[in-house]
Amino acid sequence: MSEPDLVLRSDDGGVCTLTLNRPDKRNAVNRDLFRAFRAHVKAIEADGADIGIIVIKGAGDHFCAGHDLQSDPHPDALGWLRQEMLVLERLTKLRQPVIAAVQGTCYTGGLEFALTADFIICGESARFADTHGKWGLVPGWGLSQRLPRRVGQAKALEMMLTCQPYSGREAEAMGLANYCVPDTELEARVAGLCASILANSWHSNAENKRLVYDTDGMTLTGGLNHELMRNAGFDKDAANRGAKFAARKKD
């Protein structure tokens, strides 16, 4: 399989879907797959005006089993790890909201992949786990920072130190997943969320996302000042949206 084929891209109606495409390996990440993924992120950064939302999913029955531990290590392992971490951070910082659509395995590096998304929507077949400790490894893609922010410190430590798997329903209950639905409804649930987001101002979506992430960790006073002083202003379409609303009320 050639490098571009390891991550498939399809665009439809403002939705860009990136599919990790190593189904025979449960979409475990090797260097070639990651290079392909990095190329897609860079392309969206450079020319994403027609994209309003991004969906990340895995081919077949699984999202991602994490790093492919059978791959030969990079000669500069820490340097390559840093490159991977920076690419996933670029994914998080894209203007567009990002959804991870998860079914089946979502382990370790796969969980870190999902945590870079703004939303996690999963099927009931989903299994989430952090197994770094099982292999004598430590996170390098941001799990120690993103997981506690999503589920709280105590639950994050439970996941990291026990290495036990959690079902899709358990992930929803702890706030790791936004929604858990039967696998047969996953595609429709993701499509519905995309439609709800795309119907709103893409400018507002991007700026709301930026303000939330930029002020993470600030005091309330600092965050309020940031919102005021770093405000990007209204969408150029705001007046038209207001006029349409007023006309609808008259009807």
Side-chain angles (χ1 to χ4, degrees):
M1 186 179 295
S2 66
E3 186 175 301
D5 294 332
L6 290 171
V7 179
L8 306 177
R9 174 176 171 174
S10 64
D11 294 1
D12 183 22
V15 179
C16 172
T17 301
L18 299 178
T19 303
L20 310 181
N21 190 36
R22 295 184 76 205
D24 57 320
K25 298 291 187 180
R26 296 192 176 191
N27 302 309
V29 179
N30 61 12
R31 290 198 295 276
D32 287 339
L33 184 149
F34 206 90
R35 289 189 185 100
F37 189 81
R38 177 175 60 191
H40 284 298
V41 172
K42 292 172 68 175
I44 293 168
E45 287 176 331
D47 186 23
D50 294 331
I51 299 171
I53 198 162
I54 298 160
V55 175
I56 312 292
K57 67 178 188 176
D61 297 329
H62 300 276
F63 180 72
C64 178
H67 263 115
D68 187 345
L69 297 180
Q70 296 180 343
S71 296
D72 293 331
H74 192 280
D76 180 11
L78 288 179
W80 178 251
L81 185 65
R82 175 173 171 77
Q83 289 298 315
E84 293 174 321
M85 182 272 289
L86 291 174
V87 170
L88 291 179
E89 181 65 5
R90 288 169 71 173
L91 173 66
T92 297
K93 290 184 175 180
L94 289 174
R95 289 179 56 80
Q96 297 87 349
V98 180
I99 298 173
V102 177
Q103 59 182 2
T105 302
C106 184
Y107 279 16
T108 318
L111 176 56
E112 291 184 289
F113 230 113
L115 286 167
T116 63
D118 304 302
F119 305 94
I120 297 176
I121 314 299
C122 71
E124 290 179 335
S125 70
R127 293 294 180 270
F128 297 87
D130 173 37
T131 62
H132 281 98
K134 184 177 291 188
W135 308 108
L137 305 173
V138 293
W141 285 1
L143 184 138
S144 70
Q145 301 305 304
R146 292 192 177 97
L147 185 59
R149 284 170 167 79
R150 194 178 286 257
V151 303
Q153 186 181 82
K155 201 67 179 180
L157 282 172
E158 177 187 308
M159 293 186 70
M160 297 169 74
L161 301 185
T162 66
C163 298
Q164 71 184 48
Y166 296 77
S167 70
R169 289 297 179 191
E170 288 173 321
E172 180 186 45
M174 74 172 83
L176 175 57
N178 295 79
Y179 307 104
C180 178
V181 298
D183 280 28
T184 55
E185 299 175 15
L186 179 59
E187 184 176 347
R189 188 68 183 90
V190 171
L193 180 60
C194 287
S196 295
I197 293 171
L198 290 173
N200 298 320
S201 162
W202 292 12
H203 169 82
S204 297
N205 289 343
E207 291 306 315
N208 286 337
K209 174 178 172 175
R210 179 184 63 81
L211 286 170
V212 167
Y213 285 127
D214 283 356
T215 57
D216 183 31
M218 288 187 184
T219 64
L220 176 59
T221 299
L224 291 172
N225 287 333
H226 185 94
E227 180 182 289
L228 178 63
M229 301 306 296
R230 298 293 299 277
N231 198 299
F234 298 156
D235 190 339
K236 60 184 179 181
D237 189 43
N240 185 47
R241 285 175 173 268
K244 286 182 178 179
F245 178 75
R248 187 176 62 187
K249 288 191 68 174
K250 289 180 181 178
D251 294 339

